[in-house]
């Protein structure tokens, strides 16, 4: 949507009434669940559904509450559905600043993507102060996710370093992950891999830990 577009961007269950359908087959999602509006030279999100919207850092936005301004870059908005389902609306606000590193979807090999999801899970959860998971802990989790992958702290480090060398050698791990999220190459739904591993017998629930605590 261009910045001068006068009409709001609506989202919800009713495909005939909204700009972007979300949770079309989930009755817990309202027919019109939320609105993205442009005013005062910014985009804002407003909740209009019976279930609150969940913003990053577990902030809830209820119907009737004041709209929240959206920052530039990538932002996921979540709607808690029925039977434990969670729907996500992925929003990218282009604020005129270049996204670095500039990457295209599909730039990551499967092994690299898996390693970055585990190492950068704090970033994918949009924690207030994200930190990368140490290679030693990442190797343990990756071994549970991919038992035949031969994961060790050294192979974890090699996978991350290979991506950085290709995209921007001058950047550290945190800058690399921030750029991959801003480019939507890595997205919060990727965390589903970790949730599946955590529910398997004998695998610790890494997704419930705060990195660096």
């Amino acid at each position: 949507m261009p910045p001068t577009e006068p009409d709001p961007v609506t989202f919800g269950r009713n495909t005939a009434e909204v700009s972007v359908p979300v949770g079309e087959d989930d009755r817990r999602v309202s027919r019109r669940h939320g609105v993205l509006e442009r005013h005062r030279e910014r985009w804002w999100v407003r909740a209009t559904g019976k279930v609150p919207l969940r913003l990053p850092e577990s902030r809830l936005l209820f119907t009737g509450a004041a709209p929240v301004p959206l920052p530039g870059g990538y932002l996921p908005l979540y709607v808690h559905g029925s039977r434990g389902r969670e729907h996500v609306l992925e929003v990218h606000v282009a604020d005129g600043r270049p996204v670095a590193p500039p990457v295209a979807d599909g730039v990551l090999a499967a092994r690299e993507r898996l390693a970055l999801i585990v190492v950068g899970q704090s970033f994918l959860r949009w924690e207030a102060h994200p930190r990368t998971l140490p290679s030693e802990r990442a190797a343990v989790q990756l071994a549970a996710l991919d038992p035949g992958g031969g994961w060790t702290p050294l192979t974890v480090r090699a996978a991350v370093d290979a991506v950085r060398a290709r995209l921007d050698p001058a950047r550290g791990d945190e800058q690399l992950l921030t750029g991959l999220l801003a480019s939507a190459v890595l997205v919060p739904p990727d965390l589903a891999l970790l949730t599946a591993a955590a529910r398997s017998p004998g695998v610790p629930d890494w997704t419930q830990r705060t990195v660096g605590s």
Side-chain angles (χ1 to χ4, degrees), residues 111 115-116 119 132-136 138-139 142 151-164 171-174 176-177:
R111 183 178 178 86
L116 286 163
V119 170
T132 55
L133 194 69
S135 297
E136 292 76 12
L142 283 162
W151 291 104
T152 67
L154 288 177
T155 58
V156 172
R157 190 68 260 160
V160 176
D161 287 345
V163 176
R164 182 174 50 250
R171 292 184 174 272
D173 288 356
E174 294 186 359
L176 174 66
L177 285 160

Short mmCIF file of all heavy atoms in Angstrom, two decimals, residues 111 115-116 119 132-136 138-139 142 151-164 171-174 176-177:
data_model
loop_
_atom_site.label_atom_id
_atom_site.label_comp_id
_atom_site.label_asym_id
_atom_site.label_seq_id
_atom_site.Cartn_x
_atom_site.Cartn_y
_atom_site.Cartn_z
N ARG A 111 20.44 -26.39 5.66
CA ARG A 111 21.25 -26.56 6.87
C ARG A 111 21.55 -25.21 7.51
O ARG A 111 21.50 -25.06 8.73
CB ARG A 111 22.54 -27.30 6.52
CG ARG A 111 23.45 -27.61 7.71
CD ARG A 111 24.66 -28.39 7.23
NE ARG A 111 25.58 -28.66 8.31
CZ ARG A 111 25.50 -29.69 9.13
NH1 ARG A 111 24.51 -30.56 9.00
NH2 ARG A 111 26.38 -29.88 10.10
N ALA A 115 20.27 -23.84 11.29
CA ALA A 115 21.23 -23.34 12.28
C ALA A 115 20.88 -21.92 12.72
O ALA A 115 20.92 -21.60 13.91
CB ALA A 115 22.65 -23.39 11.72
N LEU A 116 20.51 -21.07 11.77
CA LEU A 116 20.19 -19.68 12.10
C LEU A 116 18.90 -19.56 12.90
O LEU A 116 18.77 -18.69 13.76
CB LEU A 116 20.11 -18.85 10.83
CG LEU A 116 21.47 -18.54 10.19
CD1 LEU A 116 21.30 -18.09 8.74
CD2 LEU A 116 22.22 -17.48 11.00
N VAL A 119 20.09 -20.57 16.46
CA VAL A 119 20.99 -19.55 17.03
C VAL A 119 20.24 -18.24 17.26
O VAL A 119 20.46 -17.54 18.25
CB VAL A 119 22.20 -19.34 16.11
CG1 VAL A 119 23.01 -18.12 16.55
CG2 VAL A 119 23.08 -20.58 16.10
N THR A 132 22.14 -14.00 20.69
CA THR A 132 22.31 -15.26 19.99
C THR A 132 22.54 -16.40 20.99
O THR A 132 23.13 -16.20 22.06
CB THR A 132 23.51 -15.18 19.03
OG1 THR A 132 24.67 -14.79 19.77
CG2 THR A 132 23.24 -14.18 17.93
N LEU A 133 22.07 -17.58 20.63
CA LEU A 133 22.28 -18.76 21.47
C LEU A 133 23.71 -19.24 21.29
O LEU A 133 24.19 -19.36 20.15
CB LEU A 133 21.30 -19.86 21.05
CG LEU A 133 21.14 -21.03 22.01
CD1 LEU A 133 20.43 -20.58 23.27
CD2 LEU A 133 20.37 -22.16 21.34
N PRO A 134 24.45 -19.48 22.38
CA PRO A 134 25.83 -19.95 22.25
C PRO A 134 25.91 -21.23 21.41
O PRO A 134 24.99 -22.06 21.43
CB PRO A 134 26.25 -20.20 23.70
CG PRO A 134 25.37 -19.31 24.51
CD PRO A 134 24.05 -19.28 23.79
N SER A 135 27.00 -21.41 20.71
CA SER A 135 27.16 -22.55 19.81
C SER A 135 27.02 -23.88 20.53
O SER A 135 26.49 -24.85 19.97
CB SER A 135 28.52 -22.48 19.11
OG SER A 135 28.62 -21.32 18.30
N GLU A 136 27.48 -23.95 21.78
CA GLU A 136 27.40 -25.20 22.52
C GLU A 136 25.94 -25.61 22.76
O GLU A 136 25.56 -26.77 22.59
CB GLU A 136 28.13 -25.08 23.87
CG GLU A 136 29.64 -24.94 23.75
CD GLU A 136 30.07 -23.54 23.32
OE1 GLU A 136 29.21 -22.60 23.33
OE2 GLU A 136 31.25 -23.37 22.97
N ALA A 138 23.34 -24.40 21.07
CA ALA A 138 22.70 -24.57 19.77
C ALA A 138 22.97 -25.96 19.21
O ALA A 138 22.09 -26.58 18.61
CB ALA A 138 23.20 -23.50 18.81
N ALA A 139 24.19 -26.48 19.40
CA ALA A 139 24.54 -27.80 18.88
C ALA A 139 23.68 -28.89 19.52
O ALA A 139 23.26 -29.84 18.85
CB ALA A 139 26.02 -28.08 19.12
N LEU A 142 20.19 -28.58 17.96
CA LEU A 142 20.22 -29.00 16.56
C LEU A 142 20.35 -30.51 16.44
O LEU A 142 19.78 -31.13 15.53
CB LEU A 142 21.37 -28.30 15.84
CG LEU A 142 21.10 -26.84 15.48
CD1 LEU A 142 22.40 -26.11 15.17
CD2 LEU A 142 20.15 -26.75 14.29
N TRP A 151 25.86 -32.33 14.16
CA TRP A 151 26.00 -30.98 14.73
C TRP A 151 26.94 -30.97 15.93
O TRP A 151 26.79 -31.76 16.85
CB TRP A 151 24.64 -30.44 15.13
CG TRP A 151 23.75 -30.13 13.97
CD1 TRP A 151 22.70 -30.87 13.52
CD2 TRP A 151 23.86 -29.01 13.08
NE1 TRP A 151 22.14 -30.29 12.41
CE2 TRP A 151 22.83 -29.15 12.12
CE3 TRP A 151 24.73 -27.93 12.99
CZ2 TRP A 151 22.64 -28.22 11.09
CZ3 TRP A 151 24.54 -27.01 11.98
CH2 TRP A 151 23.51 -27.15 11.05
N THR A 152 27.88 -30.06 15.88
CA THR A 152 28.80 -29.77 16.99
C THR A 152 28.91 -28.26 17.08
O THR A 152 28.49 -27.54 16.16
CB THR A 152 30.19 -30.37 16.73
OG1 THR A 152 30.80 -29.68 15.63
CG2 THR A 152 30.11 -31.87 16.42
N PRO A 153 29.48 -27.73 18.17
CA PRO A 153 29.69 -26.28 18.22
C PRO A 153 30.45 -25.74 17.01
O PRO A 153 30.16 -24.64 16.53
CB PRO A 153 30.47 -26.09 19.52
CG PRO A 153 30.01 -27.22 20.39
CD PRO A 153 29.82 -28.38 19.46
N LEU A 154 31.41 -26.53 16.50
CA LEU A 154 32.19 -26.07 15.35
C LEU A 154 31.35 -26.03 14.07
O LEU A 154 31.47 -25.09 13.27
CB LEU A 154 33.40 -26.99 15.14
CG LEU A 154 34.53 -26.85 16.18
CD1 LEU A 154 35.64 -27.86 15.89
CD2 LEU A 154 35.10 -25.43 16.16
N THR A 155 30.47 -27.02 13.86
CA THR A 155 29.66 -27.02 12.65
C THR A 155 28.57 -25.95 12.71
O THR A 155 28.19 -25.39 11.68
CB THR A 155 29.02 -28.39 12.40
OG1 THR A 155 28.21 -28.77 13.52
CG2 THR A 155 30.10 -29.45 12.19
N VAL A 156 28.08 -25.65 13.91
CA VAL A 156 27.13 -24.54 14.07
C VAL A 156 27.81 -23.24 13.67
O VAL A 156 27.27 -22.43 12.90
CB VAL A 156 26.61 -24.46 15.52
CG1 VAL A 156 25.77 -23.20 15.72
CG2 VAL A 156 25.80 -25.69 15.87
N ARG A 157 29.00 -23.04 14.21
CA ARG A 157 29.75 -21.81 13.91
C ARG A 157 30.04 -21.70 12.41
O ARG A 157 29.96 -20.63 11.82
CB ARG A 157 31.05 -21.85 14.71
CG ARG A 157 31.88 -20.60 14.73
CD ARG A 157 31.20 -19.49 15.49
NE ARG A 157 30.56 -18.56 14.59
CZ ARG A 157 29.60 -17.72 14.97
NH1 ARG A 157 29.17 -17.71 16.20
NH2 ARG A 157 29.07 -16.90 14.10
N ALA A 158 30.38 -22.83 11.80
CA ALA A 158 30.70 -22.82 10.37
C ALA A 158 29.48 -22.44 9.53
O ALA A 158 29.62 -21.71 8.54
CB ALA A 158 31.22 -24.20 9.96
N ALA A 159 28.29 -22.93 9.91
CA ALA A 159 27.08 -22.61 9.14
C ALA A 159 26.76 -21.13 9.20
O ALA A 159 26.44 -20.49 8.19
CB ALA A 159 25.91 -23.44 9.67
N VAL A 160 26.86 -20.54 10.40
CA VAL A 160 26.57 -19.12 10.56
C VAL A 160 27.62 -18.28 9.84
O VAL A 160 27.29 -17.31 9.14
CB VAL A 160 26.51 -18.74 12.05
CG1 VAL A 160 26.32 -17.24 12.23
CG2 VAL A 160 25.38 -19.50 12.75
N ASP A 161 28.88 -18.66 9.97
CA ASP A 161 29.96 -17.91 9.33
C ASP A 161 29.85 -17.95 7.81
O ASP A 161 30.20 -16.98 7.12
CB ASP A 161 31.31 -18.45 9.77
CG ASP A 161 31.65 -18.07 11.21
OD1 ASP A 161 30.97 -17.18 11.76
OD2 ASP A 161 32.58 -18.68 11.78
N ALA A 162 29.36 -19.07 7.27
CA ALA A 162 29.24 -19.20 5.82
C ALA A 162 28.21 -18.20 5.27
O ALA A 162 28.42 -17.59 4.22
CB ALA A 162 28.84 -20.62 5.44
N VAL A 163 27.11 -18.02 6.01
CA VAL A 163 26.09 -17.06 5.58
C VAL A 163 26.63 -15.64 5.66
O VAL A 163 26.46 -14.84 4.74
CB VAL A 163 24.82 -17.21 6.44
CG1 VAL A 163 23.79 -16.13 6.07
CG2 VAL A 163 24.22 -18.60 6.27
N ARG A 164 27.30 -15.32 6.76
CA ARG A 164 27.84 -13.97 6.92
C ARG A 164 28.89 -13.67 5.85
O ARG A 164 28.92 -12.57 5.29
CB ARG A 164 28.43 -13.78 8.30
CG ARG A 164 28.95 -12.34 8.50
CD ARG A 164 29.42 -12.03 9.89
NE ARG A 164 30.34 -13.01 10.39
CZ ARG A 164 30.05 -13.88 11.38
NH1 ARG A 164 28.86 -13.86 11.94
NH2 ARG A 164 30.93 -14.75 11.79
N ARG A 171 29.76 -7.80 9.19
CA ARG A 171 28.70 -7.77 10.21
C ARG A 171 28.88 -8.89 11.24
O ARG A 171 29.33 -9.99 10.91
CB ARG A 171 27.33 -7.89 9.57
CG ARG A 171 26.98 -6.66 8.75
CD ARG A 171 25.57 -6.73 8.19
NE ARG A 171 25.25 -5.46 7.53
CZ ARG A 171 24.74 -4.42 8.15
NH1 ARG A 171 24.47 -4.49 9.44
NH2 ARG A 171 24.50 -3.31 7.50
N GLY A 172 28.49 -8.60 12.50
CA GLY A 172 28.48 -9.61 13.54
C GLY A 172 27.23 -10.45 13.46
O GLY A 172 26.34 -10.21 12.64
N ASP A 173 27.12 -11.43 14.35
CA ASP A 173 25.97 -12.34 14.34
C ASP A 173 24.66 -11.59 14.54
O ASP A 173 23.67 -11.86 13.86
CB ASP A 173 26.13 -13.40 15.43
CG ASP A 173 27.20 -14.42 15.10
OD1 ASP A 173 27.76 -14.35 13.99
OD2 ASP A 173 27.46 -15.29 15.94
N GLU A 174 24.63 -10.67 15.49
CA GLU A 174 23.38 -9.97 15.80
C GLU A 174 22.94 -9.10 14.63
O GLU A 174 21.75 -9.05 14.29
CB GLU A 174 23.53 -9.15 17.07
CG GLU A 174 23.75 -10.01 18.31
CD GLU A 174 23.77 -9.20 19.59
OE1 GLU A 174 23.63 -7.97 19.52
OE2 GLU A 174 23.92 -9.81 20.67
N LEU A 176 23.69 -9.63 11.50
CA LEU A 176 23.29 -10.56 10.45
C LEU A 176 21.86 -11.02 10.66
O LEU A 176 21.04 -11.00 9.73
CB LEU A 176 24.23 -11.77 10.43
CG LEU A 176 23.84 -12.91 9.48
CD1 LEU A 176 23.95 -12.45 8.03
CD2 LEU A 176 24.73 -14.13 9.73
N LEU A 177 21.51 -11.41 11.87
CA LEU A 177 20.16 -11.89 12.17
C LEU A 177 19.13 -10.77 12.02
O LEU A 177 18.03 -10.99 11.50
CB LEU A 177 20.12 -12.48 13.57
CG LEU A 177 20.79 -13.86 13.68
CD1 LEU A 177 21.14 -14.18 15.12
CD2 LEU A 177 19.88 -14.93 13.10
#
